[in-house]
PDB file of all heavy atoms in Angstrom:
ATOM      1  N   ALA A 169      73.800 112.699 103.164  1.00  0.00           N
ATOM      2  CA  ALA A 169      73.810 113.547 101.960  1.00  0.00           C
ATOM      3  C   ALA A 169      72.485 114.325 101.856  1.00  0.00           C
ATOM      4  O   ALA A 169      71.428 113.834 102.208  1.00  0.00           O
ATOM      5  CB  ALA A 169      74.008 112.696 100.706  1.00  0.00           C
ATOM      6  N   GLY A 170      72.624 115.550 101.331  1.00  0.00           N
ATOM      7  CA  GLY A 170      71.450 116.397 101.156  1.00  0.00           C
ATOM      8  C   GLY A 170      71.618 117.771 101.757  1.00  0.00           C
ATOM      9  O   GLY A 170      70.780 118.648 101.579  1.00  0.00           O
ATOM     10  N   SER A 171      72.733 117.984 102.445  1.00  0.00           N
ATOM     11  CA  SER A 171      72.957 119.273 103.089  1.00  0.00           C
ATOM     12  C   SER A 171      74.447 119.624 103.031  1.00  0.00           C
ATOM     13  O   SER A 171      75.301 118.781 102.741  1.00  0.00           O
ATOM     14  CB  SER A 171      72.495 119.251 104.562  1.00  0.00           C
ATOM     15  OG  SER A 171      73.212 118.269 105.293  1.00  0.00           O
ATOM     16  N   VAL A 172      74.723 120.895 103.350  1.00  0.00           N
ATOM     17  CA  VAL A 172      76.076 121.410 103.396  1.00  0.00           C
ATOM     18  C   VAL A 172      76.264 122.172 104.695  1.00  0.00           C
ATOM     19  O   VAL A 172      75.402 122.953 105.100  1.00  0.00           O
ATOM     20  CB  VAL A 172      76.374 122.354 102.193  1.00  0.00           C
ATOM     21  CG1 VAL A 172      77.727 122.993 102.315  1.00  0.00           C
ATOM     22  CG2 VAL A 172      76.221 121.612 100.877  1.00  0.00           C
ATOM     23  N   SER A 173      77.387 121.940 105.377  1.00  0.00           N
ATOM     24  CA  SER A 173      77.658 122.643 106.622  1.00  0.00           C
ATOM     25  C   SER A 173      78.738 123.691 106.411  1.00  0.00           C
ATOM     26  O   SER A 173      79.564 123.582 105.482  1.00  0.00           O
ATOM     27  CB  SER A 173      78.115 121.657 107.698  1.00  0.00           C
ATOM     28  OG  SER A 173      77.094 120.728 107.986  1.00  0.00           O
ATOM     29  N   TYR A 174      78.751 124.707 107.240  1.00  0.00           N
ATOM     30  CA  TYR A 174      79.733 125.785 107.114  1.00  0.00           C
ATOM     31  C   TYR A 174      79.945 126.468 108.457  1.00  0.00           C
ATOM     32  O   TYR A 174      79.180 126.271 109.426  1.00  0.00           O
ATOM     33  CB  TYR A 174      79.306 126.802 106.068  1.00  0.00           C
ATOM     34  CG  TYR A 174      78.030 127.576 106.428  1.00  0.00           C
ATOM     35  CD1 TYR A 174      78.127 128.836 107.044  1.00  0.00           C
ATOM     36  CD2 TYR A 174      76.772 127.073 106.170  1.00  0.00           C
ATOM     37  CE1 TYR A 174      76.988 129.536 107.382  1.00  0.00           C
ATOM     38  CE2 TYR A 174      75.629 127.777 106.491  1.00  0.00           C
ATOM     39  CZ  TYR A 174      75.734 129.024 107.093  1.00  0.00           C
ATOM     40  OH  TYR A 174      74.613 129.716 107.435  1.00  0.00           O
ATOM     41  N   TYR A 175      80.988 127.299 108.520  1.00  0.00           N
ATOM     42  CA  TYR A 175      81.314 128.054 109.720  1.00  0.00           C
ATOM     43  C   TYR A 175      81.886 129.403 109.305  1.00  0.00           C
ATOM     44  O   TYR A 175      82.614 129.485 108.300  1.00  0.00           O
ATOM     45  CB  TYR A 175      82.334 127.281 110.575  1.00  0.00           C
ATOM     46  CG  TYR A 175      82.593 127.880 111.929  1.00  0.00           C
ATOM     47  CD1 TYR A 175      81.785 127.569 113.015  1.00  0.00           C
ATOM     48  CD2 TYR A 175      83.654 128.773 112.140  1.00  0.00           C
ATOM     49  CE1 TYR A 175      82.014 128.116 114.277  1.00  0.00           C
ATOM     50  CE2 TYR A 175      83.874 129.312 113.390  1.00  0.00           C
ATOM     51  CZ  TYR A 175      83.059 128.998 114.446  1.00  0.00           C
ATOM     52  OH  TYR A 175      83.304 129.551 115.684  1.00  0.00           O
ATOM     53  N   GLU A 176      81.606 130.407 110.058  1.00  0.00           N
ATOM     54  CA  GLU A 176      82.146 131.744 109.790  1.00  0.00           C
ATOM     55  C   GLU A 176      83.315 132.028 110.721  1.00  0.00           C
ATOM     56  O   GLU A 176      83.111 132.255 111.897  1.00  0.00           O
ATOM     57  CB  GLU A 176      81.048 132.780 109.943  1.00  0.00           C
ATOM     58  CG  GLU A 176      79.890 132.609 108.973  1.00  0.00           C
ATOM     59  CD  GLU A 176      78.705 133.507 109.297  1.00  0.00           C
ATOM     60  OE1 GLU A 176      78.891 134.480 110.075  1.00  0.00           O
ATOM     61  OE2 GLU A 176      77.587 133.214 108.820  1.00  0.00           O
ATOM     62  N   GLY A 177      84.528 131.951 110.195  1.00  0.00           N
ATOM     63  CA  GLY A 177      85.697 132.183 111.019  1.00  0.00           C
ATOM     64  C   GLY A 177      86.658 130.992 110.940  1.00  0.00           C
ATOM     65  O   GLY A 177      86.705 130.268 109.940  1.00  0.00           O
ATOM     66  N   TYR A 178      87.460 130.810 112.008  1.00  0.00           N
ATOM     67  CA  TYR A 178      88.422 129.703 112.040  1.00  0.00           C
ATOM     68  C   TYR A 178      87.658 128.392 112.186  1.00  0.00           C
ATOM     69  O   TYR A 178      87.071 128.118 113.224  1.00  0.00           O
ATOM     70  CB  TYR A 178      89.409 129.887 113.185  1.00  0.00           C
ATOM     71  CG  TYR A 178      90.365 131.034 112.945  1.00  0.00           C
ATOM     72  CD1 TYR A 178      90.223 132.240 113.624  1.00  0.00           C
ATOM     73  CD2 TYR A 178      91.410 130.924 112.039  1.00  0.00           C
ATOM     74  CE1 TYR A 178      91.098 133.304 113.399  1.00  0.00           C
ATOM     75  CE2 TYR A 178      92.276 131.971 111.807  1.00  0.00           C
ATOM     76  CZ  TYR A 178      92.119 133.154 112.498  1.00  0.00           C
ATOM     77  OH  TYR A 178      92.984 134.203 112.242  1.00  0.00           O
ATOM     78  N   MET A 179      87.685 127.566 111.129  1.00  0.00           N
ATOM     79  CA  MET A 179      86.833 126.390 111.116  1.00  0.00           C
ATOM     80  C   MET A 179      87.574 125.054 111.066  1.00  0.00           C
ATOM     81  O   MET A 179      86.977 124.008 111.263  1.00  0.00           O
ATOM     82  CB  MET A 179      85.841 126.453 109.962  1.00  0.00           C
ATOM     83  CG  MET A 179      86.400 126.273 108.606  1.00  0.00           C
ATOM     84  SD  MET A 179      85.083 125.861 107.436  1.00  0.00           S
ATOM     85  CE  MET A 179      84.424 124.349 108.131  1.00  0.00           C
ATOM     86  N   ALA A 180      88.871 125.065 110.837  1.00  0.00           N
ATOM     87  CA  ALA A 180      89.694 123.847 110.936  1.00  0.00           C
ATOM     88  C   ALA A 180      90.923 124.202 111.752  1.00  0.00           C
ATOM     89  O   ALA A 180      91.503 125.267 111.594  1.00  0.00           O
ATOM     90  CB  ALA A 180      90.080 123.314 109.563  1.00  0.00           C
ATOM     91  N   THR A 181      91.315 123.319 112.615  1.00  0.00           N
ATOM     92  CA  THR A 181      92.405 123.631 113.538  1.00  0.00           C
ATOM     93  C   THR A 181      93.757 123.714 112.851  1.00  0.00           C
ATOM     94  O   THR A 181      93.979 123.111 111.815  1.00  0.00           O
ATOM     95  CB  THR A 181      92.517 122.562 114.647  1.00  0.00           C
ATOM     96  OG1 THR A 181      92.812 121.299 114.042  1.00  0.00           O
ATOM     97  CG2 THR A 181      91.264 122.482 115.472  1.00  0.00           C
ATOM     98  N   SER A 182      94.642 124.477 113.500  1.00  0.00           N
ATOM     99  CA  SER A 182      96.053 124.386 113.136  1.00  0.00           C
ATOM    100  C   SER A 182      96.568 123.006 113.552  1.00  0.00           C
ATOM    101  O   SER A 182      95.933 122.316 114.361  1.00  0.00           O
ATOM    102  CB  SER A 182      96.845 125.473 113.852  1.00  0.00           C
ATOM    103  OG  SER A 182      96.754 125.318 115.253  1.00  0.00           O
ATOM    104  N   CYS A 183      97.695 122.616 112.999  1.00  0.00           N
ATOM    105  CA  CYS A 183      98.312 121.342 113.369  1.00  0.00           C
ATOM    106  C   CYS A 183      99.805 121.509 113.437  1.00  0.00           C
ATOM    107  O   CYS A 183     100.421 122.031 112.513  1.00  0.00           O
ATOM    108  CB  CYS A 183      97.960 120.271 112.339  1.00  0.00           C
ATOM    109  SG  CYS A 183      98.769 118.694 112.618  1.00  0.00           S
ATOM    110  N   ASP A 184     100.405 121.083 114.546  1.00  0.00           N
ATOM    111  CA  ASP A 184     101.837 121.072 114.705  1.00  0.00           C
ATOM    112  C   ASP A 184     102.241 119.696 115.210  1.00  0.00           C
ATOM    113  O   ASP A 184     102.040 119.382 116.380  1.00  0.00           O
ATOM    114  CB  ASP A 184     102.284 122.179 115.688  1.00  0.00           C
ATOM    115  CG  ASP A 184     102.061 123.564 115.119  1.00  0.00           C
ATOM    116  OD1 ASP A 184     102.798 123.966 114.224  1.00  0.00           O
ATOM    117  OD2 ASP A 184     101.101 124.237 115.570  1.00  0.00           O
ATOM    118  N   ASN A 185     102.754 118.873 114.297  1.00  0.00           N
ATOM    119  CA  ASN A 185     103.235 117.550 114.651  1.00  0.00           C
ATOM    120  C   ASN A 185     104.700 117.631 115.041  1.00  0.00           C
ATOM    121  O   ASN A 185     105.504 118.182 114.293  1.00  0.00           O
ATOM    122  CB  ASN A 185     103.064 116.573 113.493  1.00  0.00           C
ATOM    123  CG  ASN A 185     101.595 116.290 113.171  1.00  0.00           C
ATOM    124  OD1 ASN A 185     100.719 116.532 114.003  1.00  0.00           O
ATOM    125  ND2 ASN A 185     101.322 115.829 111.968  1.00  0.00           N
TER     126      ASN A 185
END
Side-chain angles (χ1 to χ4, degrees):
S171 61
V172 175
S173 298
Y174 65 94
Y175 188 86
E176 297 170 18
Y178 290 105
M179 71 162 300
T181 61
S182 60
C183 174
D184 293 286
N185 292 341

